[in-house]
Amino acid sequence: MELRSQADPDLTVRAGFRHTDRLAARLRGAAWHFGPDGRLDVTGDGVAFAGRYLEREPGTLMVSAVDESGTTLMGRLVADPGGAAWTAEVTYHAFGPTGEQTVDVTHRLGVGAAAAPDVVAAAYRVVLTGRTGAASFGPIELDLSLDRAPAALLISGENLFRVGELMWITDGDECTVTVSGDELIGRVDAPAGTATVTFTTPSQAPPSLLAFAELAATPVPATAAVIRLRVTSSGLTGSVTATGRLPSGDPVRYEATVTGRLV
């Protein structure tokens, strides 16, 4: 039998640090596999528990599992009538460099398809295609990473002399990131421009100088920007819009679609 999450787990911290978003996301993405020999494996992104289960009475499984760091999951699963859905009532206990943590977990599990994926810490290779100034660009490949606890986004521009490049660093009050389910939204509001979100647009250099590749594009600090990303089980899709001002003071706009795969 294999069970998967049907909803976000309910976590209650009994001891240790209070931030549990990452733990909730990892447990939500894990699969619980019950072997016929009594073996239990709970595996997923950042989750690898192995242990045993025992049917204490019809519809109740007692479970105990541990990962390689010594973190344990112990408790029971109780089946709904018919056994199509189960409620896990377990305790997560970890002890490491950040201290001791004990969390009570109530988690709805089922034999059907898993609930929609949540945004979790992950790295992606993304492709941007779009338009800025009077020029189209793409495909441009970049690295993107995101996290939920705390919510953060990083896009590492590789060549700020290439039209269409984008750099996005969640930093300071001008940049905000919100996460809801499988959607991440990043926003920038910086009337004076912020270098933490920078895009490149065609250079205003005289035509006689554009033969030099390093003069083909101009980095522009964003005055306003929005990125919307939707996470799937294997990648993400989304869009970016941004505005800024050229060295001359003229406004310029940046628009791109984003697709990416896990790396």
Side-chain angles (χ1 to χ4, degrees):
M1 178 176 67
E2 184 172 276
L3 302 178
R4 290 184 174 273
S5 175
Q6 300 298 295
D8 286 324
D10 181 24
L11 306 184
T12 303
V13 178
R14 282 203 281 130
F17 51 92
R18 299 287 165 176
H19 299 293
T20 57
D21 285 349
R22 184 172 297 181
L23 173 61
R26 288 178 172 174
L27 290 176
R28 176 171 179 161
W32 296 58
H33 181 76
F34 297 83
D37 58 353
R39 180 178 174 86
L40 168 65
D41 293 291
V42 184
T43 58
D45 182 19
V47 176
F49 289 92
R52 306 291 296 177
Y53 73 94
L54 175 68
E55 186 174 18
R56 175 67 59 83
E57 57 189 54
T60 300
L61 303 177
M62 306 306 296
V63 299
S64 177
V66 63
D67 70 10
E68 61 180 10
S69 71
T71 298
T72 59
L73 277 178
M74 300 181 66
R76 67 175 186 169
L77 272 70
V78 179
D80 286 355
W86 298 68
T87 299
E89 300 170 344
V90 298
T91 297
Y92 170 97
H93 182 80
F95 187 84
T98 58
E100 185 175 6
Q101 185 183 35
T102 303
V103 181
D104 290 331
V105 180
T106 302
H107 198 175
R108 188 73 169 167
L109 304 171
V111 297
D118 215 342
V119 173
V120 295
Y124 300 85
R125 188 64 174 173
V126 298
V127 176
L128 277 65
T129 304
R131 186 173 183 83
T132 179
S136 298
F137 62 84
I140 292 176
E141 291 195 9
L142 298 173
D143 290 324
L144 180 152
S145 61
L146 55 85
D147 203 346
R148 184 183 179 104
L153 171 68
L154 172 64
I155 301 176
S156 55
E158 296 180 353
N159 180 1
L160 291 181
F161 297 106
R162 177 172 60 176
V163 173
E165 284 282 337
L166 177 67
M167 180 180 72
W168 191 303
I169 303 172
T170 303
D171 186 27
D173 296 336
E174 298 167 328
C175 300
T176 62
V177 176
T178 58
V179 178
S180 178
D182 63 351
E183 185 177 51
L184 177 146
I185 301 176
R187 298 183 185 276
V188 169
D189 183 11
T194 176
T196 59
V197 175
T198 299
F199 60 89
T200 61
T201 198
S203 175
Q204 291 184 309
S208 60
L209 295 179
L210 292 181
F212 297 93
E214 62 270 22
L215 299 178
T218 296
V220 178
T223 56
V226 177
I227 183 169
R228 298 177 182 273
L229 300 174
R230 187 169 296 279
V231 177
T232 68
S233 60
S234 60
L236 56 80
T237 59
S239 64
V240 184
T241 59
T243 56
R245 292 193 175 275
L246 296 166
S248 64
D250 294 332
V252 64
R253 184 175 175 83
Y254 177 99
E255 299 177 341
T257 59
V258 184
T259 59
R261 67 183 189 280
L262 281 167
V263 295

